[in-house]
Amino acid sequence: MYDQSFSPATLARLVRKSDFRDFPTIYDDSVKQARIQAASNIAHSDFDGRNPLMSFTKGGKNIYHTLNLPDELVLRKVTLNLRRVTRVRQPDRQSIISNLKHLLAEGTPFRVYRLDISAFYESFITADIIKKINDFKTLSPQTKRLIGKVLAFFEAAGGTGIPRGLALSAVLAELMMDAFDESTTNALGVYFYARYVDDIVVVTNAVENERSFLKALVKNLPEGLVLNEGKQHVKCARERVTPSAIEKILFSFSYLGYEFSVKEPFKDKRVRVQRQFRDVKVDISSNKKTRYKTRICRAFLDFSKTADFSLLYDRLKFLTTNFSIRDINTGRRKLAGIFYNYPHLSTEVGGSLHQLDKFLHDAIRGSNGRLFSRSSGLLTVQQKRELLTLSFKRGHEKRTFAYFHPTHIHAIQGCWAHE
């Protein structure tokens, strides 16, 4: 049977390899044991009556975290207990994209709702969260009490809803959205529904009244949550698949960093119309392409000030290849980079990978404006040749893998810290 207690033994199991890097004093076993005992004491004293959360601002949002290992261990145990009892699982981004891509290729009429929830974490009602937690009879009273304390400290410090950034927050949000997810999935005429945090996509049979459908969705949202009408898009393929002699784009929309373009297939007399599928091109969304270009610009701007070629090379290599990083919420390693972030890309000539390669190579040659002409003048011919070997397209197609030491990744990302 799973042990929900906050004893030194259960908390010790939650110490991760990454903690030895973040809190190097625990290499001393006596220090580690003292930190674990402190965590147990904190759990039984409700954080000693103090707020365990600190915050920093990123993208105009406050992101919360803990500063010391004992507080972090307690929050990990609270999160694990809640996960075990509720069996809440966060959706997999790439599975959503894969399923959506295949569904959009179907030859039947359908309507796509691309929706976004405003101020997602900040809009939940604290009392509703507490009630939801208390309804789980198998969740230990101590876990319930500690969740209540975290939310109370957060609220007392001026926060609303759920604090962004914590692994616990992600579980609480998924738990609060569970009824909405179920009702939308089971709604009449819905072929496909997916939600990744606050980003929603719904595909229907296009029979429903659009306004009534959206009204019903809003009604089923947890109290306090509203849709962001500025990011709301509805697209429709009203007829069955209709092969065309010329390229005919039905519509495009972006979701989870991808841009989907749905097209009618070209006429093929060898295939019956009923057996033809629509063409779905999947590319990097325009805002993500802009982010890559901005990072390239900032890498060259920093180089123009420091003339540190090695760092410039590693930054561009970081953008164009793949690597392993630690998930801050789970402590596990995961693969990331141009392929692992975008495995479903279509790789036609003229797509995002080609555009990014052209932008990068023009930047290296100094033909992209004043910034790049200045940085290009600092590069030797040999250095330019080295940089020109880097390619987004090659990194994606060959799944080129590079290793960067964790401390060096911090240096690499230094010039992008205020995005």
Side-chain angles (χ1 to χ4, degrees):
M1 176 179 277
Y2 174 70
D3 186 354
Q4 294 189 45
S5 71
F6 291 76
S7 66
T10 60
L11 292 167
R13 299 187 194 112
L14 299 179
V15 176
R16 301 168 180 164
K17 289 182 180 179
S18 58
D19 292 331
F20 290 87
R21 185 188 71 240
D22 298 336
F23 308 101
T25 57
I26 66 171
Y27 275 108
D28 183 327
D29 191 61
S30 63
V31 173
K32 184 178 76 170
Q33 295 304 322
R35 297 291 184 273
I36 293 169
Q37 183 61 57
S40 182
N41 295 341
I42 287 169
H44 288 89
S45 64
D46 298 339
F47 297 104
D48 295 330
R50 58 177 177 76
N51 189 347
L53 304 181
M54 299 294 291
S55 70
F56 62 92
T57 303
K58 183 176 181 180
K61 303 285 187 180
N62 286 333
I63 310 299
Y64 291 83
H65 63 104
T66 56
L67 277 182
N68 61 65
L69 184 58
D71 287 341
E72 179 62 24
L73 290 177
V74 173
L75 283 185
R76 285 178 193 171
K77 183 60 177 171
V78 168
T79 305
L80 183 59
N81 288 354
L82 187 60
R83 270 207 184 102
R84 285 292 188 101
V85 168
T86 63
R87 300 188 181 278
V88 165
R89 293 290 181 271
Q90 290 178 277
D92 178 68
R93 172 175 172 260
Q94 301 305 343
S95 294
I96 292 173
I97 297 302
S98 177
N99 292 333
L100 181 58
K101 178 181 178 181
H102 286 97
L103 182 63
L104 293 175
E106 291 293 330
T108 57
F110 57 78
R111 183 177 284 119
V112 179
Y113 296 83
R114 170 66 180 90
L115 311 171
D116 178 89
I117 300 174
S118 296
F120 182 63
Y121 283 104
E122 294 80 5
S123 299
F124 289 101
I125 306 299
T126 303
D128 293 342
I129 301 170
I130 299 299
K131 183 180 183 304
K132 185 82 169 181
I133 295 301
N134 287 335
D135 284 343
F136 287 95
K137 305 302 181 184
T138 55
L139 187 64
S140 72
Q142 188 175 15
T143 301
K144 293 177 182 179
R145 190 175 66 252
L146 288 169
I147 292 173
K149 289 294 181 180
V150 169
L151 294 177
F153 286 133
F154 172 62
E155 196 171 36
T160 60
I162 301 173
R164 285 178 179 264
L166 303 178
L168 173 63
S169 301
V171 179
L172 290 174
E174 290 300 310
L175 190 60
M176 295 301 295
M177 292 297 293
D178 185 60
F180 174 81
D181 294 340
E182 184 176 0
S183 65
T184 308
T185 299
N186 296 326
L188 186 65
V190 169
Y191 286 156
F192 177 83
Y193 165 77
R195 179 185 56 80
Y196 192 83
V197 191
D198 55 354
D199 287 325
I200 296 171
V201 65
V202 187
V203 183
T204 70
N205 58 14
V207 173
E208 80 289 345
N209 177 276
E210 182 182 317
R211 181 174 295 182
S212 298
F213 184 78
L214 285 170
K215 188 176 180 179
L217 282 184
V218 171
K219 184 179 179 180
N220 288 329
L221 282 170
E223 186 178 353
L225 270 60
V226 296
L227 296 180
N228 185 340
E229 294 186 3
K231 295 183 178 181
Q232 181 173 298
H233 304 283
V234 183
K235 308 290 184 178
C236 193
R238 300 184 183 278
E239 308 293 336
R240 288 192 59 84
V241 61
T242 307
S244 175
I246 59 173
E247 183 176 65
K248 184 179 178 182
I249 300 177
L250 293 174
F251 58 80
S252 299
F253 69 96
S254 62
Y255 187 59
L256 301 186
Y258 286 93
E259 183 79 18
F260 293 85
S261 294
V262 182
K263 308 175 184 179
E264 295 289 18
F266 287 107
K267 284 184 177 179
D268 188 342
K269 295 180 179 179
R270 298 168 298 176
V271 183
R272 288 195 305 172
V273 172
Q274 294 84 349
R275 294 189 175 182
Q276 285 199 265
F277 295 90
R278 293 188 173 97
D279 293 328
V280 181
K281 179 183 177 184
V282 182
D283 214 333
I284 301 175
S285 65
S286 57
N287 63 321
K288 295 300 182 183
K289 281 189 291 186
T290 299
R291 187 184 185 195
Y292 274 112
K293 291 178 180 180
T294 300
R295 287 189 164 193
I296 290 170
C297 291
R298 289 180 175 171
F300 277 99
L301 177 62
D302 189 72
F303 171 73
S304 68
K305 298 175 182 177
T306 65
D308 189 337
F309 173 75
S310 177
L311 186 54
L312 172 65
Y313 180 84
D314 284 347
R315 281 173 171 158
L316 299 181
K317 188 176 182 180
F318 184 86
L319 294 177
T320 57
T321 58
N322 304 281
F323 46 89
S324 173
I325 58 173
R326 179 176 65 90
D327 187 313
I328 60 172
N329 287 329
T330 65
R332 298 172 183 168
R333 308 297 297 183
K334 66 178 183 178
L335 298 177
I338 191 61
F339 173 79
Y340 293 101
N341 289 349
Y342 300 98
H344 302 289
L345 287 187
S346 307
T347 54
E348 294 93 339
V349 174
S352 292
L353 296 175
H354 293 267
Q355 295 171 29
L356 289 172
D357 275 346
K358 184 179 186 306
F359 185 86
L360 173 61
H361 293 168
D362 285 347
I364 295 166
R365 296 187 182 100
S367 53
N368 251 0
R370 183 181 300 175
L371 165 62
F372 298 117
S373 62
R374 180 183 176 186
S375 58
S376 181
L378 298 174
L379 293 168
T380 66
V381 173
Q382 180 57 36
Q383 287 173 336
K384 288 181 181 179
R385 285 175 181 164
E386 288 184 48
L387 293 178
L388 287 169
T389 64
L390 301 174
S391 164
F392 287 94
K393 184 173 183 294
R394 189 180 305 111
H396 190 277
E397 290 182 347
K398 304 291 186 182
R399 304 187 192 184
T400 308
F401 199 88
Y403 172 76
F404 302 99
H405 192 277
T407 55
H408 191 45
I409 288 180
H410 183 73
I412 287 172
Q413 296 177 326
C415 67
W416 307 322
H418 303 292
E419 289 183 340

